[in-house]
């Protein structure tokens, strides 16, 4: 254990004389991948010397299969390859295969059920039904537990020549297939091993089901049996129809798949983008992987479970490798160096937040960074292997990685088993109903086929999801009122750059707009500046921009705020003025359309969420409602609640208030250079047209609230206060006009 620096004693304490052989057994194939051949050979010798299987210990059938049996078979495959090359391990006589066969025989009693689904636990010495077994009373097992046996058991049958292992694993898969919900083609999470009834009917791709789908696909790759692929494709269509809501993967009810059964996801679903890569369906793989990456950037690691708002649901992180696995697959499929940077971030976070003197410690809570005294075997078997392979070129390995398939524990089994070894007897299953094929039904991923002449296709997809977690993170504590009849939740999501398409009463599809701000681009703040007395430009409010309407960075451009979601009843009062509109109830664009038609010459939207402010909440760009916004030409800005309160307070005190809506760099009172601008001081507004400071050709126009034009000395004092370099020169070109003739600042 990494914190106490001693071995971990758990269910395998009697299976092995010490904990190290368990780790070496799991790590044997990893040594081979790392080209540590001396260490690999030593690990094999120690496993053969120290491991004993005839022990009175109850173990998980699923875990023992994927970790121990898979490790033995993977190590045997590597040892046999080295022996055949004639340079190493000439002493090896298939001892690991014999040990794997013995272990397989000790797991077989678990399949002695009415249905053929295995018991979840077995005693390695006494089996299941023996009075001394201390097991056999269980009635339920998870779908993944029963459906994740075929790779190891089929490989054992093909290598040993004994069909019984593959036959039992296949029968369990047949039962699960038969028990699928025929209307949706989904399976549940927990099933009764005796009668085949579903105990838990929630369906997803994470914990409890995950590797069942994985092993259907990989059984086809390893064994070449089309039945497995056809079953996988049937399930995959159902997953993409009901569970996949890109980039999210949400559990649904298998009998009523339009209903989501929970609002959180577990970290085990991070394997699914890698499985989608194997199928060739890269776009949703990229989308979900990017969502997961954004979650890791927010929380350092993937929490064991996180909500659809990407908050922590369960804070543990036991160093699971599934995200690294999908990163590896995506890099190999796309060649995009972005995924190398993702892998680098995984390594850096492990070293910074999990590394301890005796290994890597699981994180007890990603929110606190507290450690747990455990380092599971999958960290060695999978995490190290996938990260090493991610940064390795094929020519750096001493074997062809494409000749092998990864088990769910990342052990390597040779795909040649489908041709070099005969299948088990009675390998017949009813042919499924013919289904409509798609591009990926019988294909491997081809970026040239999917995205011809577009090397940046992956980035184009990812960019739509760059800000999934950033906006939600800073808005923690704000809940979407989804129970309301209004449109505020829709508006809230559109503010994040996400458009929504209603699919049914219960289901909404979220699609991020490709026009979202890029990663490098920041939202440029605008200003609302109060210029009429008594403010005189000293009150400046930070505002957010809109993606439609007048571009205030290129052009310069009333009392209780409107909701503006219905007919405007006082259009005459509004005409020629800037309108205030409260956020909420309908879309920004809908409000802007109505107010522009009523004659407003600008709109200041004010956030209706009490207490929001620009100091604590990042600015965002208001987006359209999916329709055309080209006809919206008036300037639009957005104020958070606290800034909006200052403006409405000024209106209450002073009836009419003159304001400027302008970019930050053109704030009134700033000294201007070669570009024109607006300044304000001592009760005067000055328009400084384009031209050098002090240029005799520059015409300076002063707009005054005073009924009488100021004297030359007043002009000179004002220009001096504004740092106008030529304030001592000839001021004959300075023209004074009433403030009412200034069209740029508008009354509210």
């Amino acid at each position: 254990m990494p914190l106490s620096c001693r071995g971990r004693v758990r269910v395998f304490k009697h299976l092995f004389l010490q904990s190290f052989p368990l780790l070496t057994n799991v790590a044997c194939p990893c040594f081979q991948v790392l080209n540590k051949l001396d260490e690999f050979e030593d690990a094999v010798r120690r496993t053969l010397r120290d491991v004993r299987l005839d022990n009175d210990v109850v173990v998980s059938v699923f875990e023992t299969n994927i970790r121990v049996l898979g490790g033995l078979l993977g190590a045997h495959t590597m040892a046999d390859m080295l022996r055949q090359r004639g340079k190493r391990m000439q002493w090896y006589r298939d001892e690991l295969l014999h040990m794997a066969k013995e272990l397989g025989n000790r797991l077989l009693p678990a399949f002695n059920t009415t249905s053929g689904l295995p018991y979840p636990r077995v005693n390695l010495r006494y089996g299941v039904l023996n009075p001394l077994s201390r097991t056999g009373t269980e009635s339920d097992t998870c779908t993944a537990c029963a459906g994740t046996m075929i790779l190891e058991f089929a490989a054992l049958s093909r290598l040993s020549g004994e069909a019984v292992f593959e036959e039992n694993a296949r029968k369990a898969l047949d039962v699960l297939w038969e028990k699928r919900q025929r209307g949706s083609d989904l399976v549940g999470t927990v099933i009764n091993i005796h009668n085949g009834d579903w105990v838990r009917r929630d369906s997803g791709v994470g914990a409890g089901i995950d590797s069942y789908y994985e092993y259907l696909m990989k059984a086809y790759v390893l064994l070449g049996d089309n039945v497995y692929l056809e079953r996988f494709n049937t399930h995959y269509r159902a997953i993409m129809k009901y569970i996949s809501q890109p980039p999210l993967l949400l559990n649904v009810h298998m009998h009523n798949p339009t209903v989501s059964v929970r609002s959180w996801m577990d970290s085990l679903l991070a394997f699914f983008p890698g499985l989608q890569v194997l199928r060739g369906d890269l776009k949703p793989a990229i989308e979900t992987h990017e969502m997961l990456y954004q979650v890791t950037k927010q929380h350092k690691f993937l929490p064991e479970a996180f909500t659809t708002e990407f908050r922590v649901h369960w804070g543990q992180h036991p160093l699971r490798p599934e995200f690294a696995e999908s990163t590896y697959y995506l890099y190999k499929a796309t060649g995009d160096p972005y995924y190398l940077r993702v892998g680098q971030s995984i390594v850096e976070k492990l070293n910074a937040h999990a590394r301890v003197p005796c290994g890597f410690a699981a994180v007890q809570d990603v929110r606190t960074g507290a450690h747990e005294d455990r380092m599971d075997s999958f960290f060695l078997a999978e995490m190290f292997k996938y990260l090493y392979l991610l940064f390795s070129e094929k020519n750096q390995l001493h074997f062809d990685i494409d000749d092998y398939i990864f088990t769910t524990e990342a052990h390597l089994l040779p795909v040649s088993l489908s041709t070099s070894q005969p299948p088990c007897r009675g390998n017949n299953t009813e042919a499924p109903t013919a289904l409509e094929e798609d591009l990926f039904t019988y294909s491997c991923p081809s970026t040239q086929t999917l995205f011809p002449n577009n090397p940046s296709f992956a980035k184009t997809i990812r960019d739509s999801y760059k800000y999934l977690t950033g906006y939600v993170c800073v808005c923690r504590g704000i809940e979407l009122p989804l129970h309301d009849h209004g449109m505020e939740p829709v508006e809230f999501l559109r503010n994040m750059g996400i458009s929504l398409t209603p699919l049914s009463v219960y289901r909404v599809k979220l699609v991020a707009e490709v026009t979202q701000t890029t990663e490098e681009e920041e939202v440029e703040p605008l200003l609302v500046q109060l210029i009429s007395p008594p403010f005189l430009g000293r009150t400046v409010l930070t505002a957010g921009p809109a993606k439609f309407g007048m571009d205030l960075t290129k052009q310069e451009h009333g009392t209780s705020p409107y909701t503006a979601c219905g007919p405007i009843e006082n259009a005459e009062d509004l005409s020629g003025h800037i309108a205030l509109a409260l956020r909420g109830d309908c879309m920004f664009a809908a409000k802007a359309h109505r107010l522009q038609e009523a004659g407003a010459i600008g709109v200041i939207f004010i956030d209706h969420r009490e207490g929001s402010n620009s100091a604590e909440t990042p600015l965002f760009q208001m987006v359209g409602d999916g329709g055309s916004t080209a006809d919206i030409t008036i300037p639009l800005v957005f104020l958070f609640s606290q800034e909006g309160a200052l403006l409405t307070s000024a209106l209450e005190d002073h009836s009419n208030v003159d304001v400027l809506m302008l970019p930050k760099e053109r704030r009134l009172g700033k000294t201007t250079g070669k570009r024109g601008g607006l300044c304000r001081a001592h009760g005067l507004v000055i328009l400084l047209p384009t031209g050098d400071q002090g240029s005799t050709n520059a015409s300076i126009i002063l707009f005054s609230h005073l009924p009488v034009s100021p004297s030359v000395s007043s002009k000179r004092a004002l220009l001096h206060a504004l740092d106008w370099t030529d304030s001592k020169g000839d001021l004959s070109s300075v023209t004074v006009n009433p403030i009412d003739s200034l069209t740029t600042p508008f009354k509210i």
Side-chain angles (χ1 to χ4, degrees):
M1 294 187 288
L3 298 181
S4 58
C5 296
R6 56 188 178 87
R8 186 181 184 195
V9 179
R10 223 174 87 179
V11 296
F12 293 103
K13 63 182 178 181
H14 302 298
L15 179 57
F16 301 100
L17 297 182
Q18 52 182 332
S19 62
F20 182 73
L22 169 61
L23 295 179
T24 55
N25 168 63
V26 170
C28 275
C30 194
F31 285 137
Q32 174 77 338
V33 170
L34 299 175
N35 204 21
K36 301 288 185 179
L37 301 185
D38 291 336
E39 291 85 348
F40 172 75
E41 187 166 354
D42 179 64
V44 173
R45 291 185 183 275
R46 297 190 65 166
T47 300
L48 297 177
R49 182 191 69 198
D50 296 335
V51 174
R52 300 294 180 268
L53 299 172
D54 183 23
N55 292 285
D56 179 14
V57 58
V58 177
V59 299
S60 163
V61 175
F62 167 74
E63 296 289 356
T64 304
N65 174 64
I66 65 172
R67 300 195 193 200
V68 185
L69 182 58
L72 289 170
L73 292 170
H76 163 72
T77 299
M78 296 293 114
D80 186 55
M81 179 185 66
L82 291 175
R83 179 181 60 183
Q84 291 183 27
R85 290 180 176 179
K87 295 183 179 180
R88 283 183 175 271
M89 302 199 71
Q90 298 305 298
W91 55 269
Y92 181 66
R93 296 295 181 267
D94 297 338
E95 290 90 345
L96 292 174
L97 177 59
H98 299 320
M99 186 178 291
K101 180 181 174 182
E102 180 187 351
L103 180 58
N105 282 319
R106 294 181 182 277
L107 295 178
L108 278 179
F111 291 84
N112 187 20
T113 62
T114 305
S115 67
L117 298 170
Y119 281 95
R121 287 179 286 278
V122 66
N123 187 301
L124 289 179
R125 176 175 291 173
Y126 298 112
V128 174
L129 301 179
N130 189 297
L132 299 176
S133 66
R134 304 188 307 283
T135 188
T137 60
E138 303 90 352
S139 60
D140 306 330
T141 193
C142 71
T143 302
C145 298
T148 310
M149 307 293 293
I150 188 64
L151 292 191
E152 293 82 2
F153 269 43
L156 182 56
S157 286
R158 304 293 176 101
L159 292 170
S160 68
E162 297 190 12
V164 63
F165 305 107
E166 185 173 347
E167 288 172 348
N168 277 276
R170 185 185 182 92
K171 183 179 180 181
L173 284 178
D174 290 344
V175 174
L176 293 173
W177 172 253
E178 182 67 24
K179 294 298 181 179
R180 78 191 186 281
Q181 210 290 320
R182 300 302 178 95
S184 66
D185 284 321
L186 297 173
V187 293
T189 304
V190 177
I191 192 170
N192 186 289
I193 60 176
H194 301 298
N195 58 28
D197 290 341
W198 290 105
V199 178
R200 283 184 51 189
R201 294 174 173 82
D202 50 313
S203 185
V205 297
I209 302 181
D210 50 358
S211 50
Y212 163 66
Y213 294 131
E214 177 186 5
Y215 268 38
L216 284 177
M217 180 67 183
K218 290 184 175 180
Y220 166 71
V221 177
L222 181 68
L223 306 174
D225 189 338
N226 281 351
V227 168
Y228 296 120
L229 180 61
E230 289 161 355
R231 290 181 181 179
F232 173 80
N233 282 332
T234 299
H235 284 313
Y236 186 76
R237 289 185 183 91
I239 291 169
M240 299 309 291
K241 182 177 181 180
Y242 300 116
I243 295 171
S244 176
Q245 300 180 26
L248 309 179
L249 294 165
L250 299 178
N251 279 30
V252 299
H253 195 290
M254 62 181 290
H255 294 291
N256 188 7
T258 60
V259 177
S260 295
V261 297
R262 65 192 192 196
S263 60
W264 51 271
M265 298 166 279
D266 64 79
S267 64
L268 285 172
L269 62 76
F271 90 99
F272 198 68
L275 187 61
Q276 290 179 305
V277 170
L278 280 183
R279 189 179 188 266
D281 201 358
L282 293 183
K283 183 177 184 293
I286 293 169
E287 291 172 332
T288 298
H289 180 275
E290 183 60 28
M291 177 269 291
L292 295 169
Y293 183 41
Q294 296 301 319
V295 174
T296 64
K297 290 203 292 187
Q298 180 175 342
H299 300 296
K300 297 185 179 68
F301 299 103
L302 272 184
E304 192 71 341
F306 52 94
T307 70
T308 53
E309 291 83 24
F310 313 111
R311 302 186 183 100
V312 174
H313 185 70
W314 297 332
Q316 303 94 329
H317 176 70
L319 306 180
R320 293 200 185 278
E322 284 78 13
F323 179 64
E325 174 186 359
S326 289
T327 303
Y328 163 75
Y329 277 112
L330 275 168
Y331 176 65
K332 295 304 179 183
T334 66
D336 191 333
Y338 175 85
Y339 296 107
L340 293 179
R341 296 193 293 273
V342 175
Q344 180 183 357
S345 75
I346 296 173
V347 174
E348 290 173 347
K349 288 171 182 174
L350 285 171
N351 282 324
H353 305 291
R355 190 161 192 163
V356 294
C358 292
F360 292 81
V363 179
Q364 193 173 57
D365 194 320
V366 297
R367 291 163 291 196
T368 64
H371 287 143
E372 188 177 353
D373 197 11
R374 61 180 289 189
M375 185 179 72
D376 285 87
S377 63
F378 53 66
F379 183 72
L380 293 176
E382 299 183 69
M383 182 71 84
F384 281 178
K385 194 176 299 178
Y386 285 124
L387 290 175
Y388 179 81
L389 291 172
L390 174 65
F391 296 106
S392 301
E393 299 295 336
K394 287 183 64 174
N395 57 15
Q396 294 176 309
L397 303 175
H398 62 93
F399 63 95
D400 190 347
I401 194 71
D402 292 336
D403 290 339
Y404 298 85
I405 187 73
F406 287 107
T407 70
T408 195
E409 197 77 3
H411 299 306
L412 294 169
L413 298 176
V415 295
S416 60
L417 289 178
S418 62
T419 56
S420 63
Q421 304 292 337
C424 69
R425 296 184 299 275
N427 187 15
N428 298 312
T429 304
E430 62 172 290
T433 304
L435 296 171
E436 181 182 353
E437 297 180 6
D438 60 26
L439 181 62
F440 312 110
T441 302
Y442 298 102
S443 72
C444 291
S446 168
T447 55
Q448 184 58 31
T449 299
L450 299 176
F451 308 97
N453 304 315
N454 185 10
S456 63
F457 76 95
K459 182 180 185 300
T460 302
I461 298 170
R462 288 193 305 268
D463 281 349
S464 298
Y465 300 95
K466 287 294 186 185
Y467 300 99
L468 274 177
T469 63
Y471 187 78
V472 173
C473 172
V474 296
C475 292
R476 52 189 177 275
I478 299 174
E479 297 182 357
L480 296 180
L482 294 175
H483 57 280
D484 291 347
H485 57 78
M487 293 294 291
E488 172 61 14
V490 177
E491 178 204 350
F492 181 90
L493 292 169
R494 286 194 182 279
N495 292 340
M496 298 165 61
I498 299 176
S499 61
L500 286 83
T501 304
L503 302 180
S504 67
V505 175
Y506 301 104
R507 191 160 176 251
V508 174
K509 184 177 181 181
L510 283 73
V511 181
E513 298 182 4
V514 296
T515 57
Q516 177 149 354
T517 306
T518 61
E519 185 175 16
E520 296 78 14
E521 182 182 351
E522 294 184 358
V523 176
E524 293 294 334
L526 300 178
L527 299 178
V528 174
Q529 189 167 13
L530 282 63
I531 62 172
S532 56
F535 307 102
L536 303 180
R538 292 187 293 271
T539 300
V540 181
L541 309 175
T542 300
K547 287 190 174 182
F548 51 92
M550 180 185 291
D551 187 348
L552 287 169
T553 65
K554 297 179 181 178
Q555 298 187 49
E556 300 198 9
H557 322 298
T559 53
S560 296
Y562 297 89
T563 59
C565 290
I568 305 299
E569 298 178 355
N570 59 337
E572 292 183 1
D573 297 331
L574 187 63
S575 179
H577 292 76
I578 294 177
L580 299 187
L582 271 179
R583 178 186 186 182
D585 294 336
C586 62
M587 304 299 294
F588 286 122
K591 297 173 188 284
H593 273 119
R594 290 188 180 92
L595 293 170
Q596 179 174 276
E597 290 172 0
I601 53 177
V603 180
I604 299 175
F605 294 103
I606 298 177
D607 196 358
H608 66 308
R609 297 170 300 148
E610 186 176 353
S612 64
N613 60 81
S614 60
E616 298 179 357
T617 307
L619 295 175
F620 61 89
Q621 285 187 297
M622 296 177 285
V623 296
D625 55 6
S628 174
T629 56
D631 58 332
I632 301 177
T633 58
I634 58 176
L636 311 164
V637 297
F638 176 84
L639 292 177
F640 287 106
S641 169
Q642 290 186 9
E643 286 83 356
L646 294 174
L647 182 56
T648 55
S649 176
L651 282 169
E652 291 175 0
D653 295 339
H654 303 282
S655 183
N656 287 324
V657 176
D658 296 333
V659 301
L660 295 176
M661 299 163 63
L662 68 169
K664 187 176 182 179
E665 67 272 9
R666 302 172 78 172
R667 170 180 171 180
L668 196 67
K670 285 185 62 175
T671 302
T672 58
K674 293 186 178 182
R675 296 184 59 83
L678 289 167
C679 298
R680 175 71 177 172
H682 304 296
L684 297 173
V685 178
I686 305 174
L687 175 64
L688 304 176
T690 303
D692 294 334
Q693 291 187 4
S695 170
T696 56
N697 295 325
S699 176
I700 306 175
I701 305 174
L702 282 68
F703 292 86
S704 173
H705 280 284
L706 303 176
V708 180
S709 298
S711 64
V712 172
S713 60
S714 297
K715 296 179 187 179
R716 195 183 308 280
L718 174 59
L719 292 176
H720 179 71
L722 294 172
D723 294 327
W724 190 257
T725 56
D726 196 34
S727 60
K728 295 182 180 180
D730 182 15
L731 298 181
S732 59
S733 63
V734 175
T735 304
V736 180
N737 294 280
I739 189 66
D740 291 340
S741 64
L742 178 61
T743 58
T744 303
F746 299 119
K747 292 184 181 295
I748 296 179

